[in-house]
Amino acid sequence: SYLSNSKDPVSRIMFCLLFFVLTAHIAYGEVSYSVPEEMKRGSVIGNIAKDLGLDVNRLSSRKARIDTEGNRKRYCDINLNTGELIVAERIDREEISGKKASCVIKNEFVLENPLELHHFILNIEDINDNSPQFKESVIKFEIRESAGKGSSYLLEDAYDADIGRNAVQSYTLQNNEHFILNVLTRANGRKYGQLVLNKELDREQQKEVTLILTAVDGGTPPRSGTVAIHVTVLDANDNAPVFSQTVYKVSLPENSPLDTVVVTVSATDADEGQNGEVTYAFGHLPQKVQQLFFINLVSGEIKLTGLIDYEIESTFELPIQAKDGQGLATSHCTVIIDVIDANDNTPIIVVSSLNSPVPENALPGTEVGIINVQDRDSDNNGQVRCSIQQNVPFKLVPSIKNYYSLVTTGELDRELLSDYNITITATDEGSPPLSSTKNIHLTVADVNDNPPVFQEQSYRAHVQENNKPGSSICSVSATDPDWRQNGTVVYSLLSSDVNGAPVSSFLSINGDTGVIHAVRSFDYEQLKSFKVLVLARDNGSPPLSSNVTVSVFITDENDNSPQILYPSPEGNSFMTEMVPKAAQARSLVSKVIAVDSDSGQNAWLSYHIIKATDPGLFTIGVHSGEIRTQRDISESDSMKQNLIVSVRDNGQPSLSATCALYLLISDNLAEVPELKDMSRDESSSKLTFYLIIALVSVSTFFLTFIIIILAIYIYIYIYSYSFFKDVSGGGLLEITAKSVSFY
């Protein structure tokens, strides 16, 4: 605002040089920069990376940042691309330091990986951005006309928030015939004016005198402020109040209650009566200080009317003035208040950096976070100890100043505990101590460190022979405690041979579910059992795996009928056995021999005679198949005996086979001329069977032909009726009827 209002080009050039030419130097191990107040946001202060010898290209990866020390605002920031410090907030020296000669902002430049901490200071230089101001718009004096030439009257000094050359440097008085101005300097360097009577006043000629007092500062260009002086001509009051002390120094604890009496100032006036009555008032104070203190007009008692905070302002300087009853004489003193720090700020825990999730295979001592602890109090009240609970595999390691590194103390296992809630406690050394806590949530990242584990050490599968291809025979299951793809299990069959053929031609497995399916239909009589290896593999990198043996047992099914080896089955050949006429009961006549390819009870065979010429003559052993006579053979028994034998297994359902035995009761084959007729009768019976089949086939064909003729007739009738409904005309109807008759 100052630069835009200035009309002097030389002043503009000098201000720009002061604004942009900044000096950086190293003092007591810290980098210091000087910067004028009121610089625009984004203005460059200096290149701290260059001044500290840092690699600009690594500022971003090292998370470079600016932390303030004991200030609420962060007035500067860093450009990570260039390493330059830039103005981040409006800097008002008067707001930060008031009338202090030195205005310093302490900052910290923090880098990580590895952790570095650099202190640097911003020295805020004053610019002439404030004009001198008088407390009152009119200064009133009452001067007796008896006052002699050379009488002096103290004037209120003007207040300028700037310091040094930019503060008030001179006063000028409007030309007049009665008064001249004498400019003086106090012990603290402030200039003030005295109004000196140069020519006696004559109340009869002039009752009032009005003058203009101008205060000018030393800035370039200078700024000024004016006040009107109104002189009323009276009679004598020639003594000014005198304070008991020129400077009052007191101490005041911060957070003192309201209405606390800070100090009582006292001034006396040698005059009597109204001229000796003294009143007190504050000199020029900033608005925020006026809200904190109150002075009793009559007693001079100063009370606290607002809350003071050591961390905001540690010292107050109050200018006090005393006037006599007529207000003609004024004197001044200063009250200096030192604020005593109290432990009223709890420590603040700031998580500067946190690496979460933490791999479960992180080695002990791995840094997972950086903790910064701050306390705005001073001395012991600001000394902080930081600790962590004991039941977690982490600890805090002190680092630079008030920084701590959070590191692991043992091995982590996500499968046992996947996340941690860590409580950090910070306690200061005040009396009584104050503390604060902060919870940090850390998660553990999974590493593929567990192979799949089958629920059983081995598996047995039983499958019925003649099964349908594709049917499931059993299921395997493996679990992996790892997470996501590290815990996702995929199943497969290890390559092997079963009876000389690859295992894939016998079984298949669902890679997701572990269900094993039969690829083919099994035959117990060819393969009774076999073993395969199932592999369970996770999807980690690298993958882990385990395998298990699956024993497959083929269960027999009653799918084979008994096979008669002797005699040949019925219809294959003509078998004749000779039975002696003298055979007695229980004599062995013949034996039926049969086998069954099945096993177990499916192969248990039983023998039965289902048809016999003489049912009471012969019997057969149920399990042996031996044919014996039940009684002695007599002369009345027929010479030719036919037996039909059935061989049944014990399966469910039972399967059977039959055979025919032709027994001839004779001692000599020549006695039986009709033996060939038995074969001829057999052939004629077969011919009769073939004739019956031929007759049934012809009858079926004839019946089918009749059904087809009837179907064609019905179809033509329905079609003609539909056509008649859609087309009108008698001739067409007659033709249609004739057509139908024809058909």
Side-chain angles (χ1 to χ4, degrees):
S1 62
Y2 167 78
L3 188 61
S4 61
N5 293 332
S6 175
K7 298 181 180 180
D8 186 0
V10 177
S11 300
R12 286 174 178 252
I13 294 173
M14 292 180 66
F15 182 82
C16 290
L17 290 174
L18 178 63
F19 191 84
F20 290 105
V21 179
L22 307 172
T23 304
H25 63 277
I26 306 297
Y28 303 100
E30 295 179 332
V31 181
S32 177
Y33 297 89
S34 296
V35 54
E37 64 175 331
E38 303 295 345
M39 288 185 71
K40 292 183 179 179
R41 287 185 177 89
S43 299
V44 178
I45 297 174
N47 195 314
I48 191 170
K50 181 180 179 182
D51 296 336
L52 294 176
L54 299 174
D55 186 358
V56 176
N57 297 325
R58 294 194 60 204
L59 293 180
S60 295
S61 62
R62 295 187 65 185
K63 300 179 182 179
R65 61 184 179 277
I66 303 300
D67 288 342
T68 59
E69 183 175 290
N71 289 280
R72 292 184 180 276
K73 293 183 179 179
R74 186 173 65 186
Y75 291 98
C76 65
D77 208 339
I78 185 168
N79 187 326
L80 296 178
N81 296 322
T82 63
E84 296 174 331
L85 288 176
I86 58 175
V87 177
E89 292 286 342
R90 173 178 174 264
I91 304 176
D92 188 351
R93 190 203 63 80
E94 289 76 25
E95 179 182 346
I96 298 171
S97 300
K99 294 291 288 184
K100 292 181 181 179
S102 175
C103 182
V104 174
I105 300 176
K106 295 182 179 180
N107 298 271
E108 293 177 347
F109 181 46
V110 183
L111 301 101
E112 298 181 11
N113 299 319
L115 181 64
E116 289 185 32
L117 180 66
H118 299 278
H119 294 275
F120 68 95
I121 294 174
L122 295 181
N123 292 307
I124 309 304
E125 297 180 350
D126 183 52
I127 64 172
N128 191 27
D129 59 339
N130 292 282
S131 299
Q133 295 180 354
F134 290 89
K135 182 181 178 182
E136 297 176 352
S137 59
V138 178
I139 300 176
K140 295 182 179 181
F141 288 101
E142 293 180 348
I143 302 176
R144 292 185 181 275
E145 62 180 352
S146 59
K149 182 179 179 180
S151 298
S152 62
Y153 305 93
L154 188 63
L155 296 173
E156 176 191 2
D157 55 341
Y159 176 83
D160 193 331
D162 297 322
I163 61 173
R165 291 292 303 172
N166 294 327
V168 176
Q169 298 296 319
S170 63
Y171 294 86
T172 58
L173 184 66
Q174 176 187 356
N175 291 330
N176 65 93
E177 61 178 340
H178 291 287
F179 297 94
I180 59 173
L181 181 66
N182 186 18
V183 179
L184 304 174
T185 303
R186 291 196 176 95
N188 60 6
R190 289 188 181 180
K191 296 183 181 298
Y192 66 98
Q194 275 187 337
L195 197 61
V196 179
L197 187 62
N198 191 42
K199 180 182 177 181
E200 291 80 4
L201 298 171
D202 187 352
R203 187 174 179 276
E204 285 69 29
Q205 291 184 1
Q206 190 176 6
K207 295 181 179 180
E208 297 180 347
V209 178
T210 301
L211 307 171
I212 300 297
L213 178 65
T214 303
V216 182
D217 64 21
T220 304
R223 290 174 175 261
S224 62
T226 61
V227 65
I229 301 174
H230 184 78
V231 179
T232 302
V233 181
L234 298 174
D235 283 330
N237 180 18
D238 55 355
N239 287 289
V242 177
F243 280 98
S244 60
Q245 297 175 224
T246 56
V247 176
Y248 293 82
K249 289 187 176 182
V250 294
S251 296
L252 184 64
E254 68 171 327
N255 299 327
S256 295
L258 301 181
D259 292 331
T260 298
V261 177
V262 179
V263 69
T264 300
V265 297
S266 177
T268 59
D269 194 315
D271 294 325
E272 294 181 356
Q274 184 179 2
N275 292 332
E277 295 177 357
V278 179
T279 58
Y280 303 92
F282 286 124
H284 192 283
L285 287 177
Q287 183 66 28
K288 62 180 181 179
V289 179
Q290 289 183 15
Q291 297 174 355
L292 298 178
F293 300 98
F294 166 79
I295 186 168
N296 189 294
L297 180 68
V298 177
S299 67
E301 183 181 70
I302 299 176
K303 288 185 177 182
L304 186 66
T305 58
L307 297 178
I308 57 175
D309 191 344
Y310 174 86
E311 287 71 41
I312 296 178
E313 192 71 48
S314 60
T315 303
F316 293 95
E317 185 175 321
L318 308 179
I320 310 297
Q321 63 181 16
K323 292 184 179 181
D324 60 19
Q326 298 296 325
L328 300 177
T330 306
S331 60
H332 298 82
C333 75
T334 302
V335 175
I336 298 177
I337 303 172
D338 291 326
V339 181
I340 301 174
D341 182 43
N343 191 26
D344 60 343
N345 289 283
T346 57
I348 300 173
I349 303 172
V350 179
V351 180
S352 300
S353 178
L354 187 64
N355 300 324
S356 181
V358 183
E360 63 177 323
N361 62 349
L363 297 176
T366 301
E367 183 179 82
V368 299
I370 297 176
I371 311 300
N372 177 237
V373 183
Q374 304 173 1
D375 194 317
R376 298 180 60 214
D377 294 321
S378 61
D379 299 329
N380 288 342
N381 296 332
Q383 297 298 317
V384 180
R385 300 186 307 274
C386 204
S387 62
I388 194 173
Q389 75 262 37
Q390 299 300 316
N391 59 344
V392 293
F394 300 93
K395 69 176 180 179
L396 287 176
V397 178
S399 185
I400 302 173
K401 197 181 177 183
N402 52 352
Y403 283 86
Y404 294 83
S405 294
L406 181 63
V407 300
T408 59
T409 59
E411 295 182 352
L412 305 177
D413 191 343
R414 190 203 67 84
E415 287 71 46
L416 295 178
L417 193 59
S418 61
D419 56 0
Y420 292 89
N421 287 315
I422 303 172
T423 301
I424 298 175
T425 302
T427 305
D428 62 28
E429 295 184 359
S431 180
L434 300 177
S435 63
S436 61
T437 61
K438 189 174 187 67
N439 291 323
I440 296 177
H441 183 76
L442 274 176
T443 58
V444 181
D446 184 51
V447 174
N448 191 27
D449 56 350
N450 291 282
V453 177
F454 283 95
Q455 294 182 356
E456 299 181 20
Q457 294 183 349
S458 63
Y459 290 85
R460 295 170 62 91
H462 296 272
V463 56
Q464 192 86 12
E465 69 170 328
N466 301 319
N467 59 292
K468 291 183 179 180
S471 60
S472 63
I473 63 173
C474 75
S475 175
V476 297
S477 178
T479 57
D480 192 322
D482 291 324
W483 194 48
R484 289 190 174 173
Q485 64 181 21
N486 293 333
T488 302
V489 179
V490 179
Y491 304 93
S492 61
L493 294 175
L494 286 177
S495 297
S496 62
D497 289 341
V498 176
N499 280 4
V503 69
S504 58
S505 64
F506 289 86
L507 301 175
S508 68
I509 188 169
N510 188 308
D512 297 326
T513 64
V515 177
I516 298 177
H517 299 271
V519 174
R520 62 168 63 175
S521 178
F522 295 108
D523 188 350
Y524 174 84
E525 286 70 40
Q526 294 182 4
L527 181 64
K528 293 179 173 55
S529 66
F530 61 93
K531 293 182 179 181
V532 296
L533 285 177
V534 176
L535 177 72
R537 176 182 55 82
D538 59 31
N539 282 329
S541 180
L544 300 177
S545 63
S546 60
N547 56 60
V548 70
T549 300
V550 179
S551 299
V552 181
F553 297 94
I554 312 301
T555 304
D556 182 46
E557 187 180 63
N558 192 28
D559 59 343
N560 290 282
S561 299
Q563 183 179 358
I564 299 175
L565 302 179
Y566 181 84
S568 297
E570 183 179 5
N572 290 344
S573 64
F574 184 77
M575 301 294 296
T576 302
E577 294 280 353
M578 295 290 293
V579 181
K581 292 181 179 180
Q584 297 179 352
R586 304 303 300 168
S587 297
L588 179 62
V589 175
S590 182
K591 183 175 182 178
V592 177
I593 301 174
V595 294
D596 196 316
S597 299
D598 294 323
S599 64
Q601 67 179 12
N602 294 329
W604 297 349
L605 301 180
S606 61
Y607 301 85
H608 308 274
I609 297 176
I610 60 174
K611 186 177 180 181
T613 304
D614 188 349
L617 183 56
F618 298 99
T619 183
I620 190 168
V622 175
H623 300 295
S624 63
E626 294 178 348
I627 300 175
R628 295 177 180 273
T629 58
Q630 294 190 79
R631 57 180 174 79
D632 295 340
I633 295 178
S634 63
E635 290 295 334
S636 61
D637 291 329
S638 175
M639 181 179 294
K640 293 183 290 184
Q641 296 287 333
N642 294 333
L643 298 180
I644 304 299
V645 177
S646 172
V647 182
R648 293 196 295 268
D649 59 26
N650 200 37
Q652 293 294 332
S654 177
L655 300 178
S656 65
T658 59
C659 65
L661 280 87
Y662 301 97
L663 302 178
L664 184 62
I665 300 176
S666 176
D667 292 328
N668 187 356
L669 188 62
E671 297 176 356
V672 192
E674 298 89 348
L675 185 61
K676 294 183 180 180
D677 295 339
M678 295 172 64
S679 177
R680 190 177 301 109
D681 293 341
E682 182 71 19
S683 299
S684 65
S685 64
K686 289 184 178 179
L687 180 61
T688 302
F689 175 74
Y690 293 148
L691 289 175
I692 292 172
I693 291 175
L695 180 62
V696 171
S697 299
V698 172
S699 300
T700 302
F701 175 77
F702 178 75
L703 182 61
T704 303
F705 177 76
I706 296 299
I707 292 171
I708 292 173
I709 294 298
L710 289 174
I712 293 174
Y713 178 80
I714 293 171
Y715 172 79
I716 294 174
Y717 176 78
I718 294 173
Y719 176 81
S720 301
Y721 179 75
S722 175
F723 187 78
F724 167 74
K725 290 179 66 177
D726 293 338
V727 181
S728 61
L732 184 58
L733 177 60
E734 182 180 355
I735 293 172
T736 302
K738 290 181 178 181
S739 299
V740 172
S741 298
F742 172 77
Y743 281 107

